[in-house]
C-alpha cells in the first residue's frame, strides 16, 4: 500500500478522548435527541449511469447547507514578554494571546448536537458555531475520538434546528455522485460536487481508519463538513485532503457515516468509544504474500496468529485461515477488515467467513474489548479515565497510573498507584493519546515535570 502520510494536510492522532457523556435513546424517526437515519426505501434510487447534467443536485444542496455550521475554535496562550523568555522558556507573566481556527460541522439532532472533526476543535478554550441563518451559539464539547478524527459538540437552543439524516455509507458505490458542503477559507455554505473515487482507504499507520475517497473539491475550512449523496443524506464527514500545496489537488477523504454514527452513539451513551476486537493478527494478501505463505488466494486477510482467549480463538479461527467476508461485507484487504469491525462494539457477534484449505467456513465470533486506551512508559502503566470517574473527581481530563514497575518510583508506590496525571510540562494530560504524543517528543536525557492528583486528592509533582 502506498504511503500517503507525507502528503497529508492534516495529521491525525490516535487514541480516544472523552470530556463528557450524554445518554440518548436512538430511533430511526425524526425526534429531538435522536439520530435520523434514512430508511431502506431511500436507498433504492438508481441513476443508471446518468450524466452530470441530468442529475439534479439542487435539492440535496438545499438540504445540506442548512445543516452545516461554521465552527470557530479559540485557544488562549501566554505570550512571552521578552526575548529572554524565548531563549529560557515562559516564566508565566506574559499576556494572553488568542489563536483562532475555523472549520465546519454538521447538525445531527434538532436539539443541537453537532458532529465535526477532532482536529477542528482540538485544544479549544472556547467553541462557537454559526448556523447558515447567521445565528451564533456557544458550544460545549461532549467527547472526541481522535483516532477516527471525530468530535461531538452541543449547543443549547430553545428552537428546533435543521439537521442531517444519516445515510448508509456501506451502500455507496464507486462512481456515485456526492456533494461536499462546508466553509473553505471562511466562505460559508460552499457546495462542490464529485464522485466516490474509492472506498475503505486506509491512510493511518495503525490501520484503524477506513475513509471514503472523493474528487469533490475540499479545502482548508471544509474539515468537519458534510459529504452527502444526491438525496441529501449524510454519508461522510469531510476530514482531510492529500496535497503537496495545502490546497485541493484532486484527493479528499471523509469518515464514513456508519462509522461516524457509531462513534456519536458511543459518546452519547457510554461516554467513550467502545471498540470491539476480532483477535487475529496477519496481513492482506497479494501475489507476493500468497506465494510466500503458500496459498493460491490473492485477496483477503491472511491469519498469521490468533490472540489467546479472544473471540476469534474461541470461535475456532486458525493460523492459515483467510478471512473473505464479515457478515455480508467482502474482505479483500486490511482496510475492508477494519471497516467491518470499527462499527462494532464488544460482545457484538459477527459472522466471519474464512477460506480454510480451499473450503469456505462461516464462524460466529463474539468480539472482545479492545484495550486500546492503555500505555506503558518507563515502568508506569497508564490508562484513560471513564466518564463516570471524571465526573466523580470533578475533572474533565487526566490519565490514571494503573501500575508501577519502575524501581525508581517504588518508594513512592503508595502515593502514585491509582494517582491521576493532570499535566506533563504544563500541558494537560487530556488522555492516553496526548500523553503518548508528549512523551514521544521527549529527548534522550530530558526531564519532564509531572503534576498528579493522588488518591487522597492532594496535588503532587515529580520528575519523569
Amino acid at each position: 500500500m502506498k504511503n500517503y502520510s507525507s502528503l497529508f494536510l492534516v495529521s491525525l492522532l490516535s487514541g480516544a478522548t472523552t470530556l463528557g457523556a450524554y445518554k440518548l435513546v436512538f430511533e430511526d424517526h425524526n425526534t429531538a435527541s435522536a439520530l435520523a437515519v434514512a430508511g431502506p426505501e431511500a436507498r433504492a434510487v438508481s441513476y443508471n449511469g446518468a450524466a452530470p447534467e441530468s442529475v439534479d443536485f439542487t435539492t440535496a444542496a438545499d438540504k445540506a447547507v442548512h445543516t452545516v455550521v461554521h465552527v470557530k475554535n479559540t485557544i488562549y496562550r501566554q505570550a512571552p514578554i521578552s526575548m529572554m523568555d524565548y531563549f529560557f522558556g515562559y516564566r508565566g507573566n506574559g499576556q494572553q494571546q488568542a489563536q483562532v481556527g475555523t472549520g465546519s460541522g454538521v447538525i445531527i439532532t434538532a436539539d443541537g448536537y453537532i458532529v465535526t472533526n477532532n482536529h477542528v476543535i482540538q485544544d479549544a478554550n472556547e467553541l462557537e458555531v454559526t448556523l447558515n441563518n447567521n445565528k451564533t451559539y456557544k458550544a460545549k464539547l461532549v467527547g472526541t475520538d481522535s483516532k477516527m478524527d471525530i468530535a461531538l459538540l452541543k449547543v443549547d437552543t430553545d428552537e428546533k434546528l435543521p439537521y442531517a439524516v444519516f445515510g448508509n455509507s456501506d451502500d455507496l458505490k464507486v462512481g456515485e455522485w456526492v456533494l461536499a458542503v462546508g466553509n473553505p477559507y471562511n466562505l460559508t455554505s460552499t457546495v462542490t460536487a464529485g464522485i466516490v473515487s474509492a472506498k475503505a482507504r486506509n491512510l493511518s499507520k495503525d490501520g484503524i481508519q477506513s475513509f471514503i475517497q472523493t474528487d469533490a473539491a475540499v479545502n482548508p475550512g471544509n474539515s468537519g463538513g458534510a459529504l452527502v449523496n444526491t438525496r441529501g443524506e449524510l454519508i461522510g464527514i469531510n476530514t482531510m485532503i492529500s496535497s503537496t500545496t495545502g490546497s485541493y489537488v484532486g484527493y479528499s477523504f471523509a469518515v464514513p457515516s456508519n462509522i461516524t454514527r457509531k462513534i456519536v452513539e458511543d459518546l452519547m451513551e457510554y461516554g467513550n468509544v467502545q471498540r470491539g476486537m476480532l483477535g487475529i493478527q496477519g496481513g492482506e494478501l497479494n501475489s507476493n504474500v500468497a506465494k510466500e505463505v503458500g496459498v493460491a488466494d490473492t485477496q483477503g486477510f491472511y491469519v498469521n496468529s490468533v490472540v489467546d482467549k479472544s473471540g476469534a480463538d474461541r470461535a475456532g479461527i486458525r493460523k492459515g485461515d483467510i478471512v473473505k467476508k464479515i457478515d455480508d461485507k467482502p474482505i479483500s484487504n486490511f482496510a475492508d477488515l477494519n471497516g467491518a469491525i470499527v462499527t462494532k462494539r464488544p460482545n457484538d457477534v459477527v459472522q466471519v467467513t474464512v477460506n480454510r484449505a480451499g473450503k469456505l467456513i462461516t464462524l460466529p465470533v463474539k468480539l472482545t474489548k479492545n484495550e486500546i486506551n492503555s500505555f506503558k512508559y518507563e515502568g508506569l502503566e497508564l490508562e484513560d479515565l471513564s466518564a463516570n470517574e471524571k465526573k466523580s473527581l470533578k475533572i474533565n481530563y487526566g490519565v490514571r497510573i494503573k501500575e508501577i514497575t519502575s524501581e525508581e518510583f517504588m518508594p513512592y508506590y503508595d502515593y502514585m498507584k491509582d494517582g491521576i496525571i493532570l499535566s506533563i510540562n504544563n500541558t494537560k494530560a487530556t488522555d492516553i493519546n496526548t500523553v503518548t504524543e508528549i512523551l514521544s517528543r521527549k529527548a534522550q536525557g530530558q526531564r519532564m515535570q509531572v503534576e498528579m492528583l493522588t488518591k487522597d486528592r492532594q496535588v503532587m509533582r515529580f520528575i519523569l
Side-chain angles (χ1 to χ4, degrees):
M1 180 179 295
K2 293 184 178 179
N3 182 2
Y4 292 88
S5 60
S6 61
L7 303 181
F8 290 168
L9 174 65
V10 178
S11 175
L12 298 182
L13 304 176
S14 64
T17 305
T18 301
L19 302 182
Y22 292 80
K23 185 170 182 176
L24 303 180
V25 176
F26 299 100
E27 302 172 349
D28 285 354
H29 51 82
N30 301 343
T31 60
S33 298
L35 301 185
V37 183
E41 67 281 355
R43 297 192 287 271
V45 179
S46 173
Y47 292 98
N48 298 319
E53 60 270 15
S54 66
V55 179
D56 186 359
F57 299 114
T58 57
T59 301
D62 184 59
K63 286 182 180 179
V65 294
H66 297 296
T67 68
V68 174
V69 301
H70 182 270
V71 179
K72 178 181 175 183
N73 168 359
T74 303
I75 303 172
Y76 294 104
R77 300 191 187 278
Q78 294 288 346
I81 62 172
S82 70
M83 289 301 295
M84 297 300 288
D85 287 334
Y86 284 104
F87 287 108
F88 296 104
Y90 163 63
R91 299 184 207 171
N93 54 357
Q95 294 182 341
Q96 281 194 333
Q97 288 184 342
Q99 298 179 355
V100 177
T102 60
S104 304
V106 185
I107 305 171
I108 55 173
T109 66
D111 60 345
Y113 281 92
I114 296 168
V115 65
T116 184
N117 285 146
N118 178 62
H119 75 261
V120 169
I121 55 81
Q122 193 167 15
D123 299 326
N125 296 113
E126 292 179 3
L127 289 168
E128 184 179 273
V129 299
T130 302
L131 277 57
N132 192 53
N133 62 7
N134 294 325
K135 288 187 177 181
T136 298
Y137 299 88
K138 295 292 184 183
K140 56 186 176 183
L141 181 63
V142 176
T144 74
D145 179 3
S146 53
K147 183 169 284 293
M148 290 305 302
D149 200 23
I150 291 294
L152 183 65
L153 312 180
K154 179 69 168 66
V155 298
D156 293 326
T157 174
D158 294 329
E159 62 179 305
K160 290 187 177 181
L161 303 180
Y163 56 91
V165 174
F166 278 82
N168 187 343
S169 53
D170 288 346
D171 288 345
L172 274 180
K173 299 185 183 303
V174 173
E176 182 176 339
W177 284 98
V178 289
L179 302 179
V181 186
N183 305 287
Y185 302 115
N186 284 321
L187 300 172
T188 59
S189 304
T190 297
V191 180
T192 56
I195 62 168
V196 176
S197 305
K199 296 173 63 177
R201 284 291 194 211
N202 176 17
L203 306 176
S204 73
K205 293 179 181 178
D206 56 24
I208 198 170
Q209 292 154 345
S210 181
F211 291 105
I212 300 167
Q213 180 183 331
T214 79
D215 66 353
V218 170
N219 279 294
N222 270 112
S223 291
L227 187 71
V228 302
N229 59 23
T230 51
R231 296 179 293 279
E233 299 164 0
L234 182 67
I235 46 86
I237 298 297
N238 296 313
T239 296
M240 67 167 67
I241 62 176
S242 176
S243 172
T244 55
T245 65
S247 298
Y248 172 76
V249 293
Y251 300 99
S252 56
F253 302 92
V255 180
S257 61
N258 288 2
I259 294 175
T260 301
R261 183 186 174 205
K262 186 263 182 184
I263 291 169
V264 167
E265 289 176 346
D266 281 356
L267 292 174
M268 288 176 169
E269 188 168 1
Y270 302 103
N272 54 34
V273 179
Q274 305 286 300
R275 300 195 195 279
M277 183 180 73
L278 190 60
I280 59 175
Q281 297 172 339
E284 61 185 48
L285 288 172
N286 55 37
S287 295
N288 291 334
V289 174
K291 184 178 180 180
E292 184 178 330
V293 297
V295 298
D297 214 334
T298 58
Q299 287 190 314
F301 186 86
Y302 180 81
V303 179
N304 189 53
S305 63
V306 179
V307 177
D308 188 40
K309 297 181 181 179
S310 66
D313 182 33
R314 294 188 175 102
I317 293 179
R318 307 173 187 170
K319 177 180 179 179
D321 286 348
I322 301 169
V323 178
K324 301 294 292 181
K325 187 185 291 187
I326 294 180
D327 292 334
D328 59 347
K329 297 180 182 179
I331 306 299
S332 298
N333 51 45
F334 194 27
D336 288 337
L337 181 71
N338 287 324
I341 297 299
V342 76
T343 58
K344 307 296 182 182
R345 298 184 177 92
N347 298 320
D348 283 353
V349 176
V350 294
Q351 301 297 322
V352 180
T353 301
V354 299
N355 179 349
R356 180 176 294 171
K359 183 180 180 180
L360 291 180
I361 302 171
T362 299
L363 301 168
V365 178
K366 186 176 182 179
L367 302 181
T368 52
K369 187 175 181 180
N370 189 349
E371 302 291 349
I372 198 167
N373 298 324
S374 61
F375 176 66
K376 292 182 180 180
Y377 183 83
E378 293 190 358
L380 297 179
E381 184 178 349
L382 310 176
E383 66 178 3
D384 277 336
L385 298 175
S386 69
N388 288 336
E389 288 170 327
K390 290 176 183 176
K391 185 177 180 179
S392 67
L393 291 168
K394 297 181 180 180
I395 58 176
N396 59 9
Y397 62 94
V399 298
R400 176 190 290 103
I401 301 177
K402 183 179 180 181
E403 193 52 78
I404 301 167
T405 58
S406 170
E407 292 296 328
E408 179 183 359
F409 296 118
M410 279 302 173
Y412 313 101
Y413 185 92
D414 291 338
Y415 293 99
M416 296 177 64
K417 176 73 165 60
D418 292 325
I420 310 300
I421 292 178
L422 300 175
S423 69
I424 301 178
N425 274 13
N426 296 319
T427 299
K428 282 185 178 180
T430 306
D431 61 354
I432 288 295
N433 170 63
T434 307
V435 171
T436 303
E437 185 185 10
I438 295 170
L439 296 178
S440 68
R441 298 197 302 261
K442 181 176 179 287
Q444 186 173 3
Q446 180 185 0
R447 308 297 280 176
M448 290 189 165
Q449 179 175 292
V450 178
E451 185 179 67
M452 185 190 76
L453 185 68
T454 64
K455 288 179 289 188
D456 57 359
R457 307 294 177 90
Q458 300 296 313
V459 175
M460 171 182 172
R461 293 177 178 85
F462 63 92
I463 300 298
L464 184 62

